[in-house]
Amino acid sequence: MKFNQGNYLRIGICALIFSFFVPVLAHSQDWVWQNPLPQGDDLKAVWGSSGSDVFAIGVGGTILRYNGSAWADMTSGTTVDLNGVWGSSGSDVFAVGVGGTILRYDGSAWTAMTSGTTADLFGVWGSSASNVFAVGAGGTILRYNGSAWAPMTSGTSEDLTAVWGSSGSEVFAVGYSGVILRYNGSAWTTMPSAAVDLFGVWGSSANNVFAVGSGGTILRYNGSAWIAMTSRTTEDLSGVWGSSASDVFAVGNNGTVLRFNGSTWSVQTSGTTEGLFGVWGSSGSNVLAVGARGMILSYNGNSWTAITSGRTVDLYGVWGSSESDVFAVGVGGTILRYNGSAWTAMTSGTTADLFGVWGSSGSHVFAVGAGGTILRFDGSAWTAMTSGTTADLSAVWGSSGSDVFAVGGTGTILRYDGSAW
């Protein structure tokens, strides 16, 4: 298969955020495919009041509830597709969907609410039970004040796909063509954005986040707004990473490497015109970027130099436990390991393309790829794990060796807890 870097990165970013709120849907050993349901319907969104009280909604009016040990169907009273769900508590939950459908759960049953619109609704969020926002097709924004839903002026006709806020006076809605709206407690305004696809995201804190995308797009979030930055390139950017808020790197097509020093971005000489797909570093003076045809670049704090990888296949992911222990993965099951002086090929046991790599240590590393491939390195050898899916897996990340997430095609999200679910 031909790897579409942009699409996979977009799936990875969204699904990683999504995965932190998704409990398992079935019990199994090791990895579990969390996205398919016990009854087979597609799920569109999930929300929970706790790990033992979770609601998942989807097509055909599907609503499931998880009690900490098992999922059970709930009677929704509708057959239309449901797209978004949010609650102020486990006994006060809202679900939105096709044709202006809004349902509310009061702890005992779901009932339909009067929305006043026939527009499809895609997202819902609130700061409290009496301050809830729903967004949808054609720039639709509705607000619930505790007694009734009323339309709001959004200032856009673009479909709005999601809504989230940090408070009732700090709410964001996003949608097609790069639309980002912000609500300040009194009115919605359009935020500066680029009508382009975004492929990579990294932040040093919740108030300092960078997103990169096509055409050299770089956006920065300062805790209150996304601001377009001058990148000094028109090349598509696919990866971003930093050692601190004032030392950030972005990589992209045709060997593009950019560096941010806390005030401006500058184009760095990479010494290659190959596309770069992944970036990782242990510090601002030790950064590695991998890309097409076995390209590996190393940055020492002053300049980039090419490193001989010994391979000519595309490399898609890179991660290291230290400066002298780094892993790179790519086409045809390629896994390379760097010991501080040279890259050597490892036996992966697969010919599947590998797209992502991450570990909690040099002896506990995961690689994911095409066809649901998951490999694990225990310090001596790579072995295949049962993933339970045939979907391509594009990215892997964890907070520890016993809390690992893998994401991929068709909304697939997997989670590993070290032994079993």
Side-chain angles (χ1 to χ4, degrees), residues 76-162:
S76 68
T78 185
T79 58
V80 304
D81 291 355
L82 300 173
N83 300 315
V85 61
W86 174 86
S88 64
S89 70
S91 58
D92 187 41
V93 187
F94 298 83
V96 301
V98 170
T101 296
I102 301 179
L103 307 178
R104 188 177 189 180
Y105 180 68
D106 63 3
S108 59
W110 289 91
T111 57
M113 304 185 79
T114 300
S115 69
T117 184
T118 58
D120 293 348
L121 300 174
F122 301 128
V124 60
W125 176 88
S127 62
S128 70
S130 59
N131 190 45
V132 187
F133 300 85
V135 300
T140 297
I141 300 181
L142 307 177
R143 186 178 185 183
Y144 181 69
N145 63 4
S147 59
W149 289 90
M152 303 186 79
T153 301
S154 69
T156 183
S157 60
E158 296 287 351
D159 290 354
L160 299 174
T161 57

Side-chain angles (χ1 to χ4, degrees), residues 152-327:
M152 303 186 79
T153 301
S154 69
T156 183
S157 60
E158 296 287 351
D159 290 354
L160 299 174
T161 57
V163 60
W164 175 88
S166 59
S167 69
S169 58
E170 185 72 32
V171 188
F172 300 86
V174 300
Y176 286 6
S177 301
V179 169
I180 302 177
L181 305 179
R182 183 183 180 188
Y183 180 69
N184 64 2
S186 59
W188 289 91
T189 58
T190 302
M191 301 182 74
S193 180
V196 299
D197 296 328
L198 298 174
F199 303 140
V201 64
W202 175 88
S204 62
S205 71
N207 296 327
N208 189 59
V209 185
F210 299 84
V212 300
S214 62
T217 297
I218 301 180
L219 305 177
R220 187 180 188 180
Y221 183 68
N222 61 9
S224 60
W226 286 96
I227 300 172
M229 305 186 79
T230 300
S231 68
R232 306 184 192 283
T233 184
T234 58
E235 296 288 352
D236 290 352
L237 301 174
S238 56
V240 60
W241 172 90
S243 63
S244 70
S246 59
D247 194 22
V248 187
F249 297 85
V251 298
N253 285 358
N254 297 315
T256 299
V257 179
L258 308 177
R259 187 179 186 183
F260 180 67
N261 64 3
S263 58
T264 60
W265 287 91
S266 60
V267 179
Q268 296 195 299
T269 301
S270 68
T272 182
T273 58
E274 300 289 1
L276 299 174
F277 304 137
V279 61
W280 171 87
S282 60
S283 69
S285 59
N286 183 64
V287 184
L288 295 172
V290 299
R293 287 181 277 278
M295 175 58 61
I296 299 179
L297 299 178
S298 176
Y299 183 72
N300 62 6
N302 295 308
S303 62
W304 290 89
T305 57
I307 299 177
T308 300
S309 69
R311 289 294 183 273
T312 58
V313 301
D314 291 353
L315 300 174
Y316 296 132
V318 59
W319 173 88
S321 63
S322 69
E323 295 182 10
S324 58
D325 190 28
V326 186
F327 299 82

Side-chain angles (χ1 to χ4, degrees), residues 15-36 50-52 54 66 358 366 368 374 385-389 393 395-408 411-421:
L16 276 172
I17 295 170
F18 182 74
S19 63
F20 285 100
F21 302 91
V22 186
V24 296
L25 294 177
H27 291 281
S28 180
Q29 295 297 316
D30 294 335
W31 291 88
V32 159
W33 188 13
Q34 293 189 172
N35 214 37
S50 70
S52 58
V54 183
Y66 181 71
W358 176 88
F366 300 86
V368 301
I374 299 178
M385 302 185 81
T386 301
S387 70
T389 181
L393 300 174
V396 59
W397 176 88
S399 60
S400 70
S402 58
D403 189 29
V404 188
F405 299 84
V407 299
T412 299
I413 304 171
L414 311 178
R415 188 177 187 184
Y416 178 69
D417 69 355
S419 59
W421 293 96

